[in-house]
Amino acid sequence: MSQTLQNTALTTDVHRALRACGVDVDGLTGELEARSPLTGEVLAGLPLASAADVGAAVGRAVEAFPAWRDVPAPVRGNVVKRWGELLTEHKEDLAVLVQAEAGKITSEALGEVQEMIDICDFAVGQSRMLYGRTMPSERPGHRLMETWHPLGVVGVVSAFNFPVAVYSWNTALALVCGDTVVWKPSETVALSAMGSHALLARAVRDCGAPAEIHQLVLADREGGQSLVDDPRVALVSATGSVRMGREVAPRVAARFGRCLLELGGNNAAIVAPSADLDLALRGIVFSAVGTAGQRCTTLRRLIVHESVVDVLTEKLVQAYGTLSIGDPRETSNLVGPLIDERSHDAMQQALRAAQEQGGTVLAGGERVLAEERPEAFYVRPAVVRMPAQTEVVQEETFAPILYVLTYSELAEAIELQNGVPQGLSSAIFTNDQLEAERFLSSAGSDCGIANVNIGTSGAEIGGAFGGEKETGGGRESGSDSWKAYMRQATNTVNYSGELPLAQGVTFI
Ligand code: NAD
C-alpha cells in the first residue's frame, strides 16, 4: 500500500482497489452515496436494498443452507482458508477501501485486514474442533453426549468503525459452523463491504461451494430492521451503538430468535502509583487516540492515583501536543478524520457539557484543517480533567475525548471503573501484583475485557471479544465463541437392551 497517496485522486484509487477485489465498478450507480471522511468527496453511488431485496437475500441463504449444512465441517473450512488466502493477496486493496471510508491511518487499515486473515486461520482450525462432550450416564449401558449442529441463516449487522473485521469474525466462524450468512454492513462503509464480499464470492467459486451461502445487502436502518425481523434468520449478530441494540434486541426476542450483541463501550484504565508511567503513557495514547477515538474499545476514562496524576497529565498533554492530525494516507499522521459532521458536533457538545459539569479542557478538542477540507472533520484529540464521574463521562461519545479522574484507594478506582452503564474493556497499569489480581478478580473489573499493563484497545482474535451490561453480553471471535453459531443437542444412546429410567423412576 502506497504510504503517500495524498496527491493521487482518492476516487481513482478506490475504484482501482474495488476492481482488484473483483467488483464491477463500471456498473455502479444508485441513491446511496459512498462518501469519504478524508475529503468529503463522493466515491460512488450505490443501489440501496429495499425490504423486498433483503427478504429475497434471506430466501437465497435459506435455500443454500441444507446443502452447506451437509458439507463436512473441515471441507467447509476450505472456503474460509481460500478467503484468507485472497485477503492476504488483496490486503492492500481492501485496506485502501477501509482507509477511504473509515478514515483509518495506513497501519490500522492494514491491521484491520490482518485481523480478517487471522480469524480465517482461526476458523479453519476450528472447523476440525467443533467438539461435543461425552458425560457418564447414571444408567448402565447408556451413553450421554452432546453434539453441535448448524443454526441456519445468520444475519450480521455491522458498524462503520470496523467496516470488515468484525463482520469477518462472524462470517468465518458461521461458515465453518455450517450456517449461511446475510450481511448488512453500515451504509457508511459500503465499498469496503463490496470488496470483502467479492473476495469471499471468489473463494466460494474456487472451492465449488454453493454460491448463495453468503449474501450482502446494502441497506439502511429500515433494511436492517427487515433482516432483524425475518423469522427465517436464526441468529442476529449486531454490532453498533447501544441505541441500535435497544431497538434490535426486543424485536429478535419477540420472535424467539437468537441475538448476539456487541454494543458501545465506555472503557477505563486505572493508573496506580507503582505503574511504569512511560509504558502507561504509550498504552494510554494509543488506546485513546487510535482510530481518532472511534473504536468500541477506545480509552475514554483515565482513573489516576492522586499521587501521580499531575506528572501523568503533564506527560499526556505533552504527548497530545506532538500528535500529527491530517490525511491518514500520509504516514506521518497518527490521527485521521471523524466519520462525519454529526460526530464532530457530538464531540463539541460533549466538551461543552464536560465544562458545564466542572471539567477543565487540558488539551485539544478543536477542529483543524477546516479551510483545506471544509467537508471533512479532523479534530485535535482532547484531554479533560473532571472533578467527578458526571453524566457526560458516563456516556460513550464516539470521538477522541479522554476524561481524567483521580482516586486514593484501589477500591474507589474499581468502583469508578465499574460505575458506568457499559462494560466492554478495562485496564490497570500497576507493578503491584496484588493490585493486578484484585482488578482481575470477581470483585474487580466488571468488563468483558480486563487487561494489565496494556491499554483497552487492540484485542487479538484468539480471545473471546465482547462486553457486559449495556455492551450487550455477546462474545465473538476467539475462544469458544463458535458455540453462538450452532445449536446444541444432548443425545442419550441406550445399548443395554433394558429400559431403565433416570432418577430411578419406575413406570411400566
Ligand atoms: P450504529 O448503531 O449507528 O449502526 C450500526 C449498524 O446498525 C449499522 O449497520 C446500522 O445501519 C444498523 N442499524 C441501526 N439501527 C438499526 C435497527 N433499528 N435495526 C437494524 N439495524 C440497525 O453504530 P455506528 O455509528 O455504525 O458504530 C459505532 C457504534 O458501534 C459505537 O457505539 C461503538 O462502540 C459500537 N461498536 C461496538 C463494537 C463491539 O464489538 N462492542 C464494535 C464496533 C463498534
Side-chain angles (χ1 to χ4, degrees):
M1 184 174 187
S2 167
Q3 300 291 304
T4 47
L5 298 176
Q6 202 154 7
N7 296 324
T8 67
L10 180 62
T11 303
T12 311
D13 231 59
V14 163
H15 287 199
R16 184 202 51 73
L18 280 167
R19 275 193 199 94
C21 290
V23 177
D24 177 10
V25 181
D26 302 327
L28 286 183
T29 167
E31 59 188 297
L32 176 61
E33 284 187 344
R35 199 177 275 278
S36 175
L38 272 53
T39 55
E41 75 195 76
V42 175
L43 302 166
L46 303 167
L48 196 60
S50 64
D53 296 332
V54 174
V58 174
R60 291 192 291 275
V62 168
E63 268 181 42
F65 173 63
W68 184 238
R69 176 194 61 199
D70 294 345
V71 174
V75 180
R76 295 195 294 251
N78 289 340
V79 170
V80 174
K81 185 174 177 202
R82 180 71 189 127
W83 191 27
E85 288 166 359
L86 291 170
L87 287 166
T88 307
E89 199 180 308
H90 293 281
K91 184 172 174 179
E92 292 183 1
D93 298 317
L94 203 49
V96 164
L97 302 177
V98 168
Q99 181 168 67
E101 288 194 303
K104 298 193 181 198
I105 61 170
T106 302
S107 102
E108 288 187 282
L110 288 166
E112 169 145 8
V113 186
Q114 185 58 47
E115 202 165 330
M116 301 178 79
I117 297 165
D118 292 346
I119 194 68
C120 285
D121 281 351
F122 183 94
V124 172
Q126 191 72 64
S127 71
R128 291 184 182 270
M129 296 187 290
L130 304 176
Y131 296 137
R133 287 173 296 193
T134 305
M135 309 83 174
S137 168
E138 66 189 49
R139 286 170 282 187
H142 282 61
R143 180 154 62 92
L144 186 58
M145 62 182 185
E146 66 189 28
T147 46
W148 291 86
H149 306 279
L151 270 181
V153 177
V154 173
V156 179
V157 176
S158 57
F160 84 82
N161 64 322
F162 276 94
V164 282
V166 174
Y167 145 77
S168 73
W169 298 348
N170 285 279
T171 300
L173 286 178
L175 288 180
V176 298
C177 288
D179 302 318
T180 55
V181 176
V182 181
W183 178 25
K184 193 215 93 58
S186 164
E187 51 275 48
T188 320
V189 289
L191 298 177
S192 307
M194 291 172 78
S196 171
H197 175 73
L199 292 173
L200 178 50
R202 200 171 132 197
V204 167
R205 278 196 306 276
D206 290 354
C207 296
E212 310 286 7
I213 57 174
H214 66 114
Q215 302 286 326
L216 170 67
V217 288
L218 301 180
D220 56 13
R221 190 186 296 188
E222 282 69 43
Q225 276 179 2
S226 318
L227 180 65
V228 163
D229 288 341
D230 196 316
R232 297 170 296 173
V233 177
L235 168 70
V236 174
S237 176
T239 303
S241 58
V242 171
R243 180 205 57 72
M244 178 274 283
R246 276 193 213 291
E247 287 169 13
V248 166
R251 299 175 85 108
V252 180
R255 61 173 179 83
F256 295 101
R258 284 201 201 178
C259 216
L260 198 168
L261 296 176
E262 294 286 357
L263 309 176
N266 189 355
N267 317 295
I270 296 170
V271 183
S274 67
D276 173 340
L277 290 187
D278 289 328
L279 181 140
L281 182 72
R282 281 164 47 214
I284 291 163
V285 174
F286 172 68
S287 292
V289 165
T291 323
Q294 300 169 108
R295 285 192 186 209
C296 50
T297 50
T298 291
L299 178 60
R300 308 200 180 279
R301 299 176 295 136
L302 196 58
I303 303 167
V304 190
H305 192 267
E306 56 196 11
S307 64
V308 290
V309 70
D310 289 338
V311 56
L312 184 65
T313 43
E314 199 184 313
K315 281 172 186 278
L316 256 181
V317 169
Q318 228 170 27
Y320 270 55
T322 65
L323 291 171
S324 48
I325 298 141
D327 194 310
R329 291 172 293 172
E330 191 65 63
T331 44
S332 57
N333 288 328
L334 290 177
V335 185
L338 292 177
I339 192 71
D340 56 20
E341 185 169 9
R342 223 160 37 126
S343 280
H344 168 260
D345 293 349
M347 178 174 179
Q348 299 311 323
Q349 203 181 340
L351 287 170
R352 280 194 296 275
Q355 285 167 296
E356 281 161 19
Q357 292 167 28
T360 307
V361 177
L362 302 179
E366 65 277 22
R367 185 175 172 195
V368 295
L369 300 170
E371 268 180 35
E372 298 94 308
R373 306 251 169 124
E375 289 181 55
F377 295 86
Y378 292 83
V379 289
R380 259 182 220 296
V383 179
V384 185
R385 181 90 180 249
M386 293 301 292
Q389 191 146 272
T390 61
E391 212 175 308
V392 71
V393 182
Q394 306 228 359
E395 290 163 11
E396 180 198 48
T397 300
F398 217 55
I401 303 176
L402 180 62
Y403 298 113
V404 181
L405 301 155
T406 55
Y407 77 94
S408 56
E409 298 295 330
L410 184 61
E412 186 192 346
I414 291 174
E415 203 174 313
L416 279 170
Q417 136 71 41
N418 293 344
V420 293
Q422 313 83 353
L424 182 53
S425 187
S426 61
I428 188 168
F429 288 92
T430 180
N431 280 331
D432 178 335
Q433 193 190 354
L434 300 186
E435 277 191 339
E437 292 294 340
R438 274 177 69 192
F439 178 75
L440 299 178
S441 75
S442 322
S445 164
D446 65 0
C447 290
I449 298 169
N451 296 333
V452 177
N453 289 331
I454 62 164
T456 53
S457 68
E460 298 177 21
I461 59 97
F465 183 94
E468 302 302 327
K469 303 191 291 188
E470 287 190 0
T471 302
R475 289 297 183 277
E476 288 176 347
S477 191
S479 185
D480 59 355
S481 49
W482 62 272
K483 291 179 176 172
Y485 304 89
M486 301 200 87
R487 64 180 174 83
Q488 183 183 26
T490 300
N491 315 122
T492 310
V493 180
N494 174 8
Y495 58 93
S496 69
E498 307 291 329
L499 197 64
L501 300 179
Q503 296 90 41
V505 172
T506 52
F507 203 62
I508 44 171

